Amino acid sequence: MKIKGNKLYQRVAASITAAIEAGRWSPGTRLPGERDLAEEYGVSRPTIREAMIALEMKGWIEARHGSGLYVTLRDHGTGQREDALNFDVGAFDLTEARILFEGEAVALAAVSITDEQLDEIDALLVEMAAEDSNEPSVMDADHRFHLAIANATGNAAIRSVIEYLWELRTRSPLAANMFARAKRGGITPRVEEHRPIVAALRARDPHAARTAMRRHLRGVVDDLLEATELEVMERARSELDARRDSVARRLKIGSV
């Protein structure tokens, strides 16, 4: 089924809530798996993942027992469904835009970057790799690393666009939620993925720079997919551990 509307994940989420309200999936019912939903709606797995997280944030669905996502018992109402699901840009769409813009920006930077700008980017790489760096400082250095490359293009409009894309990481509730899930899953900027970018800039090789940046940002997409999937699994594991503890306590009482 192909769907029409504004943001793709919002259209999928709205369609699923409409199906829930129409009785296709009643409270307590398990939703189909990601692959099945992706095939049904004619979208990618990342889009389905964003839609599922949006629905979970609003309480339409919940992860349960490691067996998938289930419709909740909550009375959601019908009047403001689309507004309730409008979380703006998701992390996958945002990163896709970064692949496009930052991939071309780094290629332009490779032919216009100065030695002083290269030294600044090198210093940021060292800052990211420092053993005593904590997570906030690494994230800040990563942010400044990418903006320094945008600045090296010599094009103020390009820098503004890339800066805006970075701002969306925190301004968009859905993107912020997804990156927070990745952070809880232990996902942090990988310094080794940044080194080929710097090497290509030093070589003044736009093609290698574009390839390295795109490879790095595709790795961000993979990390997001893994982190959001692992979070569901971790919930299930915690729930299973709690059940085991409960059973162990009961058996201990019975053996006294």
Side-chain angles (χ1 to χ4, degrees):
M1 174 175 64
K2 296 287 186 179
I3 48 182
K4 300 179 181 180
N6 294 321
K7 295 182 178 67
L8 193 53
Y9 86 87
Q10 292 172 2
R11 304 199 301 259
V12 173
S15 182
I16 290 173
T17 57
I20 291 171
E21 290 177 339
R24 177 180 176 186
W25 297 300
S26 58
T29 300
R30 181 183 183 279
L31 289 176
E34 282 184 359
R35 293 185 187 279
D36 291 335
L37 287 171
E39 183 176 348
E40 177 177 347
Y41 288 100
V43 297
S44 67
R45 283 185 64 205
T47 297
I48 292 295
R49 186 71 56 85
E50 287 183 340
M52 293 299 101
I53 290 174
L55 291 170
E56 188 178 8
M57 286 172 68
K58 276 297 178 180
W60 285 88
I61 61 176
E62 63 182 359
R64 190 186 300 172
H65 304 291
S67 59
L69 295 167
Y70 288 74
V71 178
T72 66
L73 295 171
R74 178 183 170 194
D75 179 12
H76 307 277
T78 59
Q80 297 179 324
R81 179 174 64 237
E82 290 188 6
D83 289 341
L85 292 171
N86 186 6
F87 285 92
D88 203 20
V89 179
F92 294 117
D93 277 355
L94 174 57
T95 308
E96 184 178 54
R98 287 185 60 200
I99 290 171
L100 176 65
F101 287 100
E102 293 197 49
E104 294 309 309
V106 76
L108 179 59
V111 298
S112 58
I113 196 166
T114 67
D115 289 339
E116 291 77 12
Q117 288 170 330
L118 275 168
D119 290 341
E120 176 191 359
I121 290 170
D122 266 336
L124 289 168
L125 191 61
V126 171
E127 190 175 331
M128 290 172 62
E131 291 184 4
D132 59 348
S133 294
N134 55 32
E135 189 273 338
S137 65
V138 172
M139 295 296 293
D140 179 61
D142 182 42
H143 181 193
R144 288 183 286 131
F145 176 92
H146 286 270
L147 289 187
I149 292 173
N151 192 54
T153 65
N155 187 309
I158 290 175
R159 190 190 191 286
S160 294
V161 169
I162 291 174
E163 190 165 16
Y164 172 69
L165 291 174
W166 271 85
E167 289 175 0
L168 281 176
R169 287 170 61 103
T170 54
R171 287 176 55 186
S172 166
L174 180 59
N177 180 281
M178 295 179 72
F179 282 113
R181 289 169 186 247
K183 180 181 173 182
R184 288 196 297 270
I187 302 299
T188 56
R190 296 178 179 174
V191 178
E192 64 272 15
E193 293 182 358
H194 293 70
R195 297 190 193 282
I197 299 172
V198 177
L201 288 171
R202 280 217 170 270
R204 268 71 176 188
D205 186 335
H207 302 294
R210 182 188 295 113
T211 298
M213 180 65 78
R214 288 178 174 176
R215 183 181 297 117
H216 161 53
L217 293 174
R218 288 191 184 106
V220 173
V221 172
D222 291 340
D223 286 344
L224 285 166
L225 279 169
E226 181 181 2
T228 50
E229 189 169 46
L230 285 176
E231 185 179 66
V232 173
M233 294 171 62
E234 185 59 36
R235 288 183 193 173
R237 191 176 299 113
S238 297
E239 201 168 306
L240 181 59
D241 288 342
R243 286 175 176 269
R244 284 173 177 161
D245 290 342
S246 176
V247 170
R249 286 195 300 269
R250 290 174 179 273
L251 290 175
K252 187 174 181 181
I253 291 171
S255 62
V256 174

